[in-house]
Structure formats: C-alpha cells, structure tokens
Amino acid sequence: MRTFVRCVLLVPALFAACAAPPPAPAAPGPLLIATWPFGRIATDAAMAALQQGAGRLDAIEAGISEVERLSCDGSVGLGGRPNAAGYAQLDACIMDGPGHRAGCVAGLEGIVHPIRAARHVMEGTRHVMLVGEGARWFALEHQLESANVDDLPAKKQAWVARERRPADTAGHDTVTLLLLDRDGHVAGGCSTSGAGGKLPGRVGDSPIPGAGLYVDDEVGAAGATGLGENVMRYCGSYQIVEFMRQGMSPQQACEEQVHRIARKDPRGYQLDICFLALDKHGRFGAAASNGRFPFAVGRDGRSELITIEPVTPR
Ligand code: GLY
C-alpha cells in the first residue's frame, strides 16, 4: 500500500517534468558578415542600427550606404571604378528572407546610394530590377541623393570617338553584407561600381538575385565578390544556399561552390571570385578561388576581420 501511494505521488511529478517545455535555445543572431576590410564599416554601421532598434532591412541599408558614401576602396559608390568611357555605372541588390523579396538596380548613373534605390524597387514597385536611365529616373523620383552628371554625355561622346576597347579590366570589389537577425530571419544586400574599365552597359553578378546575392529564409544567405562574369554563369550564391539546404555548413558550401566552378571553367581556379555565407543556426563561412580574402564578422556588438587563404585546388 505504501508503495502504491509513493507511485501515485511520483507519477504526476514525473509527468510535469516531461511536459515542461525545454529551455529556449539562445538566439543565434544577430550575426553579420561582409566582404573585404571595408566590410567592417558595413557590419559596424549595421550593428549600430540594430542596437538602435532598426529592423534587418534598415540595418542592411545603413551598412551598405556607409560604404557607398565613402566609396571604399574605389570600388563602391560614385567614387568607384569608372567604366571604359570614364564614368561610374553602379549595381546593387537587396533581398529579404520573409516573403522572399528582392529589389535591384543596374547600370545606375549619378546616384549616391544605389542600395536605397534597390530597396525602393523592392518595397514600392511590382518589379524586381530597374536598369540604366529608368533606374536613374526612378531614384530621382524618390528624391535620392544625386550627383551632377551633366558632363556624362560629353564623356560618352569622347569614348565613342576613341577606339571601343575596354581600357582596363582590373579591380572588381563589391560590398556584400549578410544578416541573421535576432528573430532568426535573414536578409542581404550588395553594391558595386563593377569591374573597372567595363564596357558601358555591362552588368555584373551583384544586382542579379541568385548570382551575387541570394537569401532564403528557410536556410540562410550567400553572397559574392570578384569578377562577376565568373559568378553569374554559375548562379554562384543560389547554389551555395542550396548546398546548405542539403546539409552542408556555410564553410563547406562556399568551398564546394568554388571547386564546382573551377571544375567546369576553362580558367580552373584562376577565377578571381570569393563567396561568403551564413545559415539559420548562426554559422558562417567563406571561400576564395585564388588570392586571400579578408571579410568582416559582426556579433555580440563588435566586428572583427578574418582573412582566409584560397581553397586548395582538388
Ligand atoms: N562582382 C562585381 C562585378 O563583377 O561587377
């Protein structure tokens, strides 16, 4: 009888212990990663915005706008690398995990913050991408800060009069910023003046969803920097997110994508491309085809710079 009473008293206690919800795991975000040493400017500005209560898209815009404003490394914003005709044509993209939304601009002239134009496309139109003159008109309609481009027609004329050959294709850095927020949602953005000496009208990987940037709220986000022609032909960022969906870590996924492209491409590993990625668990990774790749990581209120060596060719 005494045993029976003890059991009767114990069972509800055991049941209560089993039914109690497990302690909530620590949120893996916020986590930010961004390309190149100037990525630290982006992660710092984005973190500051988050700390002031900004949402993930405001944080992405704040981070990238700051790099655009400073025209960091002469490869982002209006002070970025000019095309073969001597003036900057800018590309940018923003993507948000919830709703799988994207907005992009390409070949944008004379606008200080292409990322803001891209966000207006995403939030204020039924389109995803605007290019060239239409993108500039749209940005001006939204009162975005512009620079004087009165001398552009003259520059274009001068180029047409010269031999129509790209002068210099060196240099092609992009700011790409990826974010996992504290609610577990992902977003990303990128902005660039593109390859120096590109033909007027050339568009790189950066403004193309799936190429220079891809975000999937079920999995994570990936982005690219480097020679866009070697990224966009392989749906560079999309494939990394899909590798993560199949179970790879961000690091494995970035490396696998470099190897995959190198296997197919006549240039092998001489691709001049780099990738970075983060997932919903708060893990991140990066890989470079050739050359070292420094990138910024922002978490716990501070940013650090990590530099990786290129992958070892297989
Ligand atoms: N990744 C930038 C560009 O190639 O334009």
Side-chain angles (χ1 to χ4, degrees), residues 9-263:
L9 289 174
L10 267 177
V11 166
L14 279 173
F15 182 76
C18 293
L31 168 69
L32 292 133
I33 54 175
T35 50
W36 305 114
F38 58 55
R40 211 166 158 171
I41 293 170
T43 53
D44 278 344
M47 258 187 313
L50 289 174
Q51 280 161 0
Q52 286 161 21
R56 59 186 174 277
L57 293 176
D58 288 333
I60 292 288
E61 185 182 318
I64 290 187
S65 290
E66 192 56 9
V67 180
E68 289 174 338
R69 187 180 71 77
L70 297 167
S71 275
C72 289
D73 213 22
S75 62
V76 179
L78 279 179
R81 293 191 168 86
N83 61 16
Y87 58 94
Q89 284 186 316
L90 308 177
D91 298 338
C93 179
I94 191 164
M95 268 195 92
D96 192 23
H100 207 68
R101 298 184 303 160
C104 327
V105 288
L108 183 60
E109 296 172 9
I111 299 296
V112 179
H113 293 297
I115 193 69
R116 293 186 186 161
R119 186 171 174 187
H120 278 296
V121 173
M122 180 174 80
E123 294 186 324
T125 78
R126 57 199 163 86
H127 307 304
V128 169
M129 184 183 291
L130 296 179
V131 304
E133 198 49 50
R136 177 172 160 76
W137 172 85
F138 176 81
L140 293 174
E141 283 290 298
H142 285 81
Q143 278 88 45
L144 295 189
E145 192 181 344
S146 63
N148 185 0
V149 289
D150 284 350
D151 62 338
L152 276 186
K155 280 190 173 173
K156 289 176 184 174
Q157 284 298 326
W159 179 71
V160 170
R162 289 200 313 267
E163 57 180 322
R164 302 178 183 205
R165 208 159 17 98
D168 161 30
T169 53
H172 36 74
D173 294 343
T174 302
V175 61
T176 301
L177 173 64
L178 308 178
L179 163 66
L180 173 69
D181 74 10
R182 65 169 56 82
D183 299 323
H185 295 300
V186 288
C190 57
S191 182
T192 185
S193 55
K198 64 189 179 183
L199 284 172
R202 176 266 191 190
V203 174
D205 60 317
S206 303
I208 299 176
L213 179 71
Y214 194 65
V215 160
D216 185 317
D217 217 39
E218 290 175 355
V219 179
T225 179
L227 192 53
E229 281 74 5
N230 294 342
V231 173
M232 62 206 291
R233 287 180 293 127
Y234 297 97
C235 297
S237 300
Y238 171 81
Q239 186 60 48
I240 290 173
V241 171
E242 291 309 303
F243 280 148
M244 293 194 292
R245 193 193 305 278
Q246 291 160 18
M248 288 189 199
S249 69
Q251 184 60 37
Q252 288 170 328
C254 289
E255 289 180 14
E256 189 55 39
Q257 179 63 327
V258 172
H259 291 306
R260 185 172 181 273
I261 296 174
R263 259 199 317 273

